[in-house]
Amino acid sequence: MSFQGFSQEKAKNEIIIHKDLKWSERMALSIIKRAPQARQIDNNEKPKWDYKLGLVMTSFENLYKKTNNPIYAAYIKEYAETVINDSGEILNYKLEDYNIDNINAGKMLFDLYSKTNDKRYLTAIKTLRKQLETHPRTHSGGFWHKKIYPYQMWLDGLYMGTPFYARYTVEFDGGKDLNDIALQFEQVQKHTIDKKTGLLFHAWDESKQMPWANKETGTSPNFWSRSIGWYMMALVDDLDYFPKNHPKRKELIQYLNEISEAVAKFQDPSGLWYQVTDTGSKEGNYLEASGSAMFVYAFAKGVNKGYLPSKYKKLAEKGFDGITQKLITVDPDGEIHITQVCASAGLGGNPYRDGSYEYYINEKIKTDNSHGLGPFILAAVELDK
């Protein structure tokens, strides 16, 4: 099925979302109904190369592998053709920005290249790999989050950069960079962990210059569920590429077990997790969809792959039930929506984001934001829901 000229009106009329379909397909078809071209997700007016759309494309890839329904593969391909021209140049991408977020959407290109043998996808893959070659690093070897955020590692960046890097090194370089990928996790583990809770702070500034940074440790002041979710998804996805005999594999599995144990302690009786992970129902805090879905996905995949004990499958099921019961709404025509998604959060920048509790709880909350859509599908596919 091609999406060329697949209009909003046509999508509304032609896509039927049966309630007996699995949640994964109900959500994917709802997305296509609302946004016949993937670039329209999040109400984007123009096409753009975007980590959030890359996240949704990854979820569609997993769904396609599970269902073999060509509608999902066509949706990915149409987006790729929109943002990569015939020469393999990536729309609105600048290597010299050294933004780790820009790597994430590159993950969809590997399967596209192997299926189509279209050289433009290979050119784009090589461009993104080139960025990592010269991407600035902390003195201890961690990728900066962005050139505009010098000497900073954010948990988000592990998901943005390392799964692409891991697949690249295994498929093109015989796995020679797996130690460098493990180093990224070692740095985050060493510098962001809170000894008391076992949770990871959102970010670390090696220079300790940022006003948000703890003057002794360099960490930001709070635990943000989605940032920890990014980190956990990066772990379970990167482990796909670490062979059983790789010396760093055990260490990464250990990190996954430690953070899973810490996160499990803060699961609300509803099955969900709060925006600020450790403060429960403190005034202003709320049960947040994207972080909850990411934890569910990481727990479920961790158990399915044998990295985590089976008890985490039960916690994942409980979390998924919490999402569908409390955060999903269903229209009369069967279209579904995910609510209570934090639209965006970060540190520094202009206007300045100080990482305070008040900052995290006051960021915009949206319905059907891509940060929630992708992880919901990933979690549903992993749990076969």
Side-chain angles (χ1 to χ4, degrees):
M1 178 173 187
S2 165
F3 283 84
Q4 301 297 337
F6 196 65
S7 71
Q8 197 88 31
E9 221 28 68
K10 210 168 170 195
K12 275 192 165 48
N13 297 331
E14 288 193 4
I15 289 178
I16 295 158
I17 304 160
H18 293 291
K19 67 174 188 308
D20 54 357
L21 280 172
K22 292 196 159 140
W23 284 109
S24 54
E25 293 209 75
R26 289 170 76 183
M27 182 59 86
L29 293 171
S30 296
I31 291 169
I32 296 170
K33 197 166 187 174
R34 289 189 288 272
Q37 278 87 37
R39 67 173 181 80
Q40 299 164 317
I41 297 170
D42 292 334
N43 304 310
N44 292 318
E45 285 176 20
K46 291 181 182 162
K48 62 175 177 173
W49 180 256
D50 182 86
Y51 78 86
K52 299 185 290 294
L53 297 181
L55 171 66
V56 178
M57 295 306 102
T58 296
S59 74
F60 270 68
E61 268 191 347
N62 286 18
L63 184 57
Y64 173 64
K65 283 172 188 155
K66 188 101 171 175
T67 62
N68 265 334
N69 186 338
I71 193 173
Y72 306 129
Y75 197 63
I76 298 165
K77 189 163 184 281
E78 195 276 336
Y79 175 61
E81 286 169 355
T82 306
V83 289
I84 294 169
N85 70 16
D86 291 341
S87 321
E89 291 168 328
I90 303 168
L91 190 70
N92 68 267
Y93 169 83
K94 291 196 184 99
L95 187 148
E96 62 276 12
D97 285 350
Y98 289 115
N99 179 347
I100 203 86
D101 287 346
N102 285 337
I103 303 294
N104 187 51
K107 293 183 304 196
M108 68 179 173
L109 304 176
F110 293 98
D111 282 357
L112 280 169
Y113 176 58
S114 68
K115 276 183 198 134
T116 62
N117 214 23
D118 187 330
K119 291 287 188 283
R120 76 169 110 174
Y121 300 130
L122 182 61
T123 301
I125 288 168
K126 297 275 186 194
T127 301
L128 296 170
R129 176 63 187 92
K130 201 171 166 195
Q131 177 184 323
L132 293 177
E133 258 169 51
T134 50
H135 197 99
R137 295 178 182 239
T138 64
H139 294 300
S140 52
F143 291 124
W144 292 6
H145 194 64
K146 297 181 187 179
K147 187 179 172 185
I148 57 167
Y149 300 136
Y151 299 100
Q152 296 170 39
M153 291 186 81
W154 299 11
L155 300 185
D156 322 29
L158 275 289
Y159 184 80
M160 299 305 151
T162 62
F164 171 90
Y165 189 13
R167 184 160 181 183
Y168 186 97
T169 191
V170 165
E171 291 190 9
F172 291 92
D173 284 334
K176 74 176 177 63
D177 295 312
L178 288 172
N179 282 341
D180 190 34
I181 290 156
L183 175 73
Q184 306 307 309
F185 289 96
E186 287 163 2
Q187 289 307 305
V188 161
Q189 197 72 14
K190 184 176 176 185
H191 296 290
T192 68
I193 198 158
D194 173 55
K195 298 280 194 291
K196 199 171 95 194
T197 58
L199 296 172
L200 304 176
F201 290 106
H202 186 176
W204 167 63
D205 171 16
E206 184 184 48
S207 71
K208 301 173 187 166
Q209 296 301 301
M210 293 306 288
W212 55 254
N214 180 298
K215 291 300 162 242
E216 285 172 30
T217 63
T219 58
S220 59
N222 279 290
F223 307 112
W224 179 39
S225 287
R226 184 155 80 223
S227 69
I228 299 170
W230 287 128
Y231 179 76
M232 290 174 71
M233 292 206 304
L235 276 168
V236 292
D237 288 357
D238 281 20
L239 278 162
D240 287 344
Y241 303 103
F242 277 76
K244 285 206 163 118
N245 62 352
H246 194 280
K248 297 288 184 185
R249 187 171 181 269
K250 258 195 179 137
E251 177 182 276
L252 297 183
I253 292 172
Q254 181 64 26
Y255 293 162
L256 178 64
N257 275 270
E258 286 171 12
I259 190 60
S260 296
E261 192 183 335
V263 161
K265 286 178 186 154
F266 293 99
Q267 188 173 24
D268 183 71
S270 64
L272 302 169
W273 281 265
Y274 280 91
Q275 163 78 339
V276 179
T277 321
D278 65 325
T279 53
S281 56
K282 182 176 170 182
E283 193 182 345
N285 208 7
Y286 61 95
L287 295 164
E288 198 276 331
S290 66
S292 295
M294 289 175 176
F295 293 153
V296 168
Y297 169 69
F299 282 177
K301 184 171 179 180
V303 174
N304 289 346
K305 292 277 190 174
Y307 312 138
L308 291 174
S310 60
K311 67 177 180 182
Y312 288 100
K313 192 69 165 275
K314 288 192 185 73
L315 299 183
E317 301 267 4
K318 184 182 176 185
F320 193 80
D321 289 346
I323 297 168
T324 54
Q325 287 161 20
K326 299 209 173 287
L327 304 181
I328 294 287
T329 61
V330 185
D331 292 349
D333 67 356
E335 186 182 326
I336 70 170
H337 306 273
I338 189 163
T339 65
Q340 286 180 217
V341 185
C342 171
S344 177
L347 294 152
N350 187 13
Y352 189 77
R353 300 167 297 178
D354 65 0
S356 64
Y357 175 79
E358 290 66 33
Y359 162 70
Y360 286 108
I361 61 164
N362 285 305
E363 273 291 19
K364 274 190 190 134
I365 301 169
K366 292 204 169 168
T367 294
D368 294 333
N369 179 271
S370 50
H371 288 108
L373 299 170
F376 178 81
I377 294 173
L378 289 169
V381 168
E382 207 57 49
L383 287 169
D384 199 25
K385 297 273 193 186

